[in-house]
Coordinates of all heavy atoms in Angstrom, one line a residue:
M1 N 0.8 -1.2 0.0 CA 0.0 0.0 0.0 C 0.9 1.2 0.0 O 1.6 1.5 0.9 CB -0.9 0.0 1.2 CG -1.8 -1.2 1.4 SD -3.0 -1.1 2.7 CE -1.8 -1.1 4.1
N2 N 0.8 2.0 -1.1 CA 1.5 3.3 -1.2 C 0.6 4.5 -1.2 O -0.6 4.3 -1.5 CB 2.4 3.2 -2.5 CG 3.4 2.1 -2.5 OD1 4.0 1.7 -1.4 ND2 3.7 1.6 -3.7
S3 N 1.2 5.6 -1.0 CA 0.4 6.9 -1.0 C -0.8 6.8 -0.2 O -1.9 7.1 -0.7 CB 0.1 7.3 -2.5 OG 1.3 7.4 -3.2
L4 N -0.7 6.3 1.0 CA -1.9 6.0 1.8 C -2.6 7.3 2.2 O -1.9 8.4 2.4 CB -1.5 5.3 3.1 CG -1.2 3.8 2.9 CD1 -0.4 3.2 4.1 CD2 -2.5 3.1 2.8
Q5 N -3.9 7.3 2.3 CA -4.7 8.4 2.6 C -5.5 8.1 3.8 O -5.8 6.9 4.2 CB -5.7 8.7 1.4 CG -4.9 8.9 0.1 CD -5.9 9.0 -1.1 OE1 -7.1 9.0 -0.9 NE2 -5.3 9.0 -2.3
P6 N -6.0 9.1 4.5 CA -6.9 8.9 5.7 C -8.0 8.0 5.4 O -8.5 7.2 6.3 CB -7.3 10.3 6.1 CG -6.2 11.2 5.7 CD -5.7 10.6 4.4
E7 N -8.6 8.0 4.2 CA -9.7 7.2 3.8 C -9.4 5.7 3.8 O -10.3 4.9 3.7 CB -10.3 7.7 2.5 CG -10.9 9.1 2.5 CD -9.9 10.2 2.6 OE1 -8.7 10.0 2.1 OE2 -10.2 11.3 3.0
D8 N -8.1 5.4 3.8 CA -7.7 4.0 3.8 C -7.7 3.4 5.2 O -7.5 2.2 5.3 CB -6.3 3.8 3.2 CG -6.2 4.3 1.8 OD1 -7.1 3.9 1.0 OD2 -5.2 5.0 1.4
T9 N -8.0 4.2 6.2 CA -8.0 3.7 7.6 C -9.1 2.7 7.7 O -10.3 2.9 7.4 CB -8.2 4.8 8.5 OG1 -7.1 5.7 8.5 CG2 -8.4 4.3 10.0
A10 N -8.7 1.5 8.2 CA -9.7 0.4 8.3 C -8.9 -0.8 8.9 O -7.7 -0.8 9.0 CB -10.3 0.0 7.0
V11 N -9.7 -1.8 9.3 CA -9.1 -3.1 9.6 C -9.1 -3.9 8.3 O -10.1 -4.1 7.6 CB -9.9 -3.9 10.6 CG1 -9.3 -5.3 10.9 CG2 -10.0 -3.1 11.9
Y12 N -7.9 -4.5 8.0 CA -7.7 -5.2 6.7 C -7.7 -6.7 7.0 O -7.0 -7.2 7.9 CB -6.4 -4.8 6.0 CG -6.5 -3.4 5.4 CD1 -6.7 -2.3 6.1 CD2 -6.6 -3.3 4.0 CE1 -6.8 -1.0 5.5 CE2 -6.7 -2.1 3.4 CZ -6.8 -0.9 4.1 OH -6.9 0.3 3.5
Y13 N -8.4 -7.4 6.2 CA -8.5 -8.9 6.3 C -8.2 -9.5 5.0 O -8.4 -9.0 3.9 CB -10.0 -9.3 6.6 CG -10.6 -8.7 7.9 CD1 -11.2 -7.5 7.8 CD2 -10.5 -9.4 9.1 CE1 -11.8 -6.9 8.9 CE2 -11.1 -8.8 10.2 CZ -11.7 -7.6 10.1 OH -12.3 -7.1 11.2
C14 N -7.7 -10.8 5.0 CA -7.5 -11.5 3.8 C -8.5 -12.7 3.9 O -9.0 -13.1 4.9 CB -6.1 -12.1 3.7 SG -5.5 -13.2 5.0
N15 N -8.8 -13.2 2.7 CA -9.7 -14.3 2.5 C -9.6 -14.8 1.1 O -8.9 -14.2 0.3 CB -11.1 -13.9 2.9 CG -12.0 -15.0 3.4 OD1 -12.1 -16.1 2.8 ND2 -12.8 -14.8 4.5
V16 N -10.4 -15.8 0.7 CA -10.5 -16.1 -0.6 C -11.6 -15.3 -1.3 O -12.3 -14.5 -0.6 CB -10.9 -17.6 -0.8 CG1 -9.7 -18.5 -0.4 CG2 -12.1 -18.0 0.0
N17 N -11.7 -15.3 -2.6 CA -12.7 -14.6 -3.3 C -13.5 -15.5 -4.2 O -12.8 -16.1 -5.1 CB -12.1 -13.4 -4.0 CG -13.2 -12.6 -4.8 OD1 -13.1 -12.5 -6.0 ND2 -14.1 -12.1 -4.1
P18 N -14.8 -15.7 -4.1 CA -15.7 -15.1 -3.1 C -15.3 -15.6 -1.7 O -14.7 -16.6 -1.5 CB -17.0 -15.7 -3.4 CG -16.9 -16.1 -4.9 CD -15.5 -16.5 -5.0
S19 N -15.6 -14.7 -0.7 CA -15.1 -15.0 0.7 C -15.8 -16.2 1.3 O -16.9 -16.5 1.0 CB -15.4 -13.7 1.6 OG -16.8 -13.5 1.6
N20 N -15.1 -16.8 2.2 CA -15.5 -18.0 2.9 C -15.7 -17.5 4.4 O -14.7 -17.1 5.0 CB -14.6 -19.1 2.8 CG -15.1 -20.4 3.5 OD1 -15.7 -20.3 4.6 ND2 -14.8 -21.5 2.9
P21 N -16.9 -17.5 4.9 CA -17.1 -17.0 6.3 C -16.3 -17.7 7.4 O -16.0 -17.1 8.4 CB -18.6 -17.2 6.5 CG -19.0 -18.2 5.6 CD -18.2 -18.0 4.4
Q22 N -15.9 -18.9 7.1 CA -15.1 -19.7 8.1 C -13.6 -19.2 8.1 O -12.9 -19.6 9.0 CB -15.1 -21.2 7.8 CG -16.5 -21.8 8.0 CD -16.5 -23.3 7.8 OE1 -15.8 -23.8 7.0 NE2 -17.3 -23.9 8.6
Y23 N -13.2 -18.4 7.1 CA -11.8 -18.1 7.0 C -11.5 -16.7 7.6 O -10.3 -16.4 7.7 CB -11.4 -18.0 5.6 CG -11.3 -19.4 4.9 CD1 -11.0 -19.4 3.5 CD2 -11.5 -20.6 5.6 CE1 -10.9 -20.7 2.9 CE2 -11.5 -21.8 4.9 CZ -11.2 -21.8 3.6 OH -11.1 -23.0 2.9
W24 N -12.4 -15.9 8.1 CA -12.1 -14.6 8.6 C -11.3 -14.7 9.9 O -11.6 -15.5 10.8 CB -13.4 -13.8 9.0 CG -14.3 -13.5 7.8 CD1 -15.6 -13.9 7.5 CD2 -13.9 -12.7 6.7 NE1 -16.0 -13.4 6.4 CE2 -15.0 -12.6 5.8 CE3 -12.8 -11.9 6.3 CZ2 -15.0 -11.9 4.6 CZ3 -12.8 -11.2 5.2 CH2 -13.9 -11.2 4.3
G25 N -10.2 -13.9 9.9 CA -9.3 -13.9 11.0 C -9.5 -12.6 11.8 O -10.6 -12.0 11.8
Q26 N -8.5 -12.2 12.5 CA -8.5 -11.0 13.4 C -8.3 -9.7 12.6 O -8.8 -8.7 13.0 CB -7.5 -11.1 14.5 CG -7.7 -12.3 15.4 CD -9.1 -12.2 16.1 OE1 -9.4 -11.2 16.8 NE2 -9.9 -13.3 16.0
G27 N -7.7 -9.8 11.4 CA -7.4 -8.7 10.7 C -6.2 -7.9 11.2 O -5.7 -8.2 12.3
T28 N -5.8 -6.9 10.5 CA -4.7 -6.0 11.0 C -5.1 -4.5 10.8 O -5.7 -4.2 9.7 CB -3.4 -6.3 10.3 OG1 -2.3 -5.6 10.8 CG2 -3.5 -6.1 8.8
Q29 N -5.0 -3.7 11.8 CA -5.4 -2.3 11.8 C -4.4 -1.5 11.0 O -3.2 -1.5 11.2 CB -5.5 -1.8 13.2 CG -5.9 -0.3 13.3 CD -7.3 -0.1 12.9 OE1 -8.3 -0.7 13.4 NE2 -7.6 0.9 12.0
V30 N -5.0 -0.7 10.1 CA -4.2 0.3 9.3 C -4.8 1.7 9.7 O -6.0 1.9 9.4 CB -4.3 0.1 7.8 CG1 -3.6 1.3 7.1 CG2 -3.5 -1.2 7.5
T31 N -4.0 2.6 10.2 CA -4.5 3.9 10.5 C -3.6 4.9 9.8 O -2.4 4.9 10.0 CB -4.4 4.2 12.0 OG1 -5.2 3.2 12.7 CG2 -4.9 5.6 12.4
V32 N -4.2 5.8 9.1 CA -3.5 6.8 8.3 C -3.9 8.2 8.9 O -5.0 8.6 8.7 CB -3.8 6.8 6.8 CG1 -2.9 7.7 6.1 CG2 -3.6 5.3 6.3
S33 N -2.9 8.8 9.5 CA -3.2 10.1 10.2 C -2.0 10.9 10.4 O -0.9 10.3 10.6 CB -3.9 9.8 11.6 OG -4.2 11.0 12.3
S34 N -2.1 12.2 10.4 CA -0.9 13.0 10.7 C -0.9 13.5 12.1 O -1.8 13.3 12.9 CB -1.0 14.3 9.8 OG -2.2 15.0 10.0

């Protein structure tokens, strides 16, 4: 992720596509702020 913007702030998760509800993990927090 480059040129991050405040609007990118979120918890990010990985999964397959289409998503499988059994695969959701804890995610990782991304916060973009000055």
Side-chain angles (χ1 to χ4, degrees):
M1 305 185 295
N2 298 326
S3 301
L4 284 162
Q5 304 169 9
E7 294 75 24
D8 297 314
T9 295
V11 178
Y12 285 70
Y13 303 87
C14 64
N15 207 314
V16 293
N17 178 241
S19 63
N20 185 323
Q22 295 184 322
Y23 290 176
W24 295 118
Q26 298 300 306
T28 185
Q29 176 72 51
V30 171
T31 302
V32 185
S33 179
S34 60

